[in-house]
Amino acid sequence: MTTSHAFSASPTVAAMAGAHCPFMPVFGAPQVMFVRGEGTQLWDASGKRYLDFLSGISVTSRRTLAALAATGQPAKHEPFQPMPEGFVHVPFGDLSALSAAVDGSVAAVLVECVQGEGGVIPASNEWLQGVRALCTERGALLMVDEVQTGFARTGDWFAFQHAGVQPDVVMLAKAMGNGMPVGALWARRDIASVFKPGDHGSTYSGTALATAAVCAVIEVMREIDAPRLAREKGEYLTTQLRTMPKVHDVRGRGLLLGVEFGAAADAKAVQVELLARGLVTNAVTATALRLAPPITVTVDEIDEALSLLREVLA
């Protein structure tokens, strides 16, 4: 979907040398400070144009300590120790390990259908179906994290639909507001009914501005058939990427893709050089780039991005 960015700061980290970065150092100083956006295009304060092939997919800080403890990334736990207890992590895609871990003390299983920060790794449909069956058998809730994948990003409205499973709880954010900071928790009525007035609250819960934005986003997504666009553009982008030298694999779904170089290239170095040439991406691992352009990206813009990537890899 169309993104818009507005910051009042200098255009590059180099320009901020010796100056105070206006953001808390949660992710380090931004390499580029964008001041305007339209569709897939961004501009910095100097007027330089960029193609946004990331859509702000990882710009939000992590929504309590409990949520942080739930993620299986120990490096992100360390600065906040001690973590809340009660979370057990098992290897992604390993149904036997999950079966061994889910006993009578487990209330819920939380999964991503496509791991985002883990490297854009899609779960198999068979594994997700196995997780659903296991949760039903053991009396545990199946919770699905659709923060990165939800709202048409993977080529269906939600990533769990590819596997034909029905989760008990779904976590939503990012694309549902299309730039408006908003998140939601969607649950079956019988599960939601365990909450009573006063059990939970938030200053901005149900705010009219955010919910109006969500309604507008969904209306436009329906009008443009966003899942179809994500499927078609994702297929085209994937096909072209696989023809490139040094690209060992392309994984993911729809317009959430991981471009794997293996030992052929340093993903961080590629990302830095692409940014200098005007293409915004993300080195999601040491050997893989994450691409997640807006669903409204045009074929011409995809071709322009592919040309820049070819230049850098050459």
Side-chain angles (χ1 to χ4, degrees):
M1 288 296 292
T2 304
T3 56
S4 179
H5 306 256
F7 303 103
S8 55
S10 52
T12 64
V13 172
M16 292 191 295
H20 173 66
C21 176
F23 299 150
M24 288 187 180
V26 180
F27 296 103
Q31 294 173 286
V32 177
M33 302 292 278
F34 298 114
V35 298
R36 185 165 66 91
E38 181 180 341
T40 313
Q41 301 177 87
L42 302 173
W43 288 266
D44 65 23
S46 69
K48 181 177 177 179
R49 171 185 171 272
Y50 298 77
L51 282 179
D52 181 6
F53 265 52
L54 197 57
S55 300
I57 200 160
S58 297
V59 298
T60 54
S61 300
R62 290 170 176 78
R63 338 263 169 222
T64 67
L65 280 179
L68 184 61
T71 189
Q73 294 179 289
K76 289 185 168 63
H77 297 172
E78 194 57 37
F80 301 96
Q81 294 288 1
M83 288 279 101
E85 298 179 352
F87 295 92
V88 177
H89 300 99
V90 298
F92 188 65
D94 189 334
L95 194 60
S96 296
L98 183 63
S99 179
V102 179
D103 57 24
S105 69
V106 173
V109 174
L110 173 61
V111 300
E112 290 179 280
C113 298
V114 181
Q115 283 191 328
E117 301 306 300
V120 192
I121 302 172
S124 71
N125 290 343
E126 293 75 19
W127 180 73
L128 288 170
Q129 290 160 3
V131 175
R132 173 67 277 180
L134 180 65
C135 288
T136 300
E137 174 192 321
R138 307 284 172 86
L141 298 180
L142 173 57
M143 302 177 66
V144 176
D145 179 349
E146 291 270 4
V147 170
Q148 288 194 29
T149 55
F151 291 92
R153 168 60 55 185
T154 66
D156 216 329
W157 282 106
F158 300 99
F160 67 77
Q161 291 178 290
H162 294 286
V165 299
Q166 182 65 52
D168 302 304
V169 179
V170 181
M171 289 173 283
L172 310 167
K174 293 187 183 290
M176 73 181 296
N178 198 39
M180 169 64 71
V182 61
L185 190 69
W186 165 27
R188 291 202 328 259
R189 189 180 302 274
D190 59 311
I191 296 167
S193 68
V194 303
F195 287 116
K196 299 294 185 292
D199 283 350
H200 181 68
S202 170
T203 300
Y204 298 108
S205 287
T207 177
L209 180 61
T211 48
V214 172
C215 288
V217 167
I218 293 172
E219 181 179 357
V220 172
M221 283 186 164
R222 284 174 168 164
E223 288 176 356
I224 66 175
D225 194 355
R228 176 184 59 82
L229 292 180
R231 287 194 303 273
E232 292 177 355
K233 303 294 177 57
E235 288 171 5
Y236 177 74
L237 180 55
T238 298
T239 299
Q240 296 302 312
L241 286 167
R242 285 179 171 154
T243 67
M244 290 190 184
K246 298 187 180 178
V247 173
H248 283 202
D249 186 30
V250 182
R251 57 180 179 258
R253 288 186 183 273
L255 282 174
L256 178 58
L257 300 175
V259 185
E260 180 62 55
F261 304 121
D266 177 346
K268 183 61 178 178
V270 172
Q271 180 255 312
V272 169
E273 182 58 28
L274 286 172
L275 184 64
R277 295 174 186 238
L279 180 62
V280 181
T281 61
N282 165 239
V284 71
T285 71
T287 61
L289 277 185
R290 172 166 44 191
L291 302 182
I295 292 172
T296 51
V297 65
T298 67
V299 172
D300 287 344
E301 289 169 335
I302 292 175
D303 287 340
E304 183 181 353
L306 290 166
S307 178
L308 291 171
L309 183 55
R310 284 191 188 93
E311 292 173 10
V312 171
L313 292 179

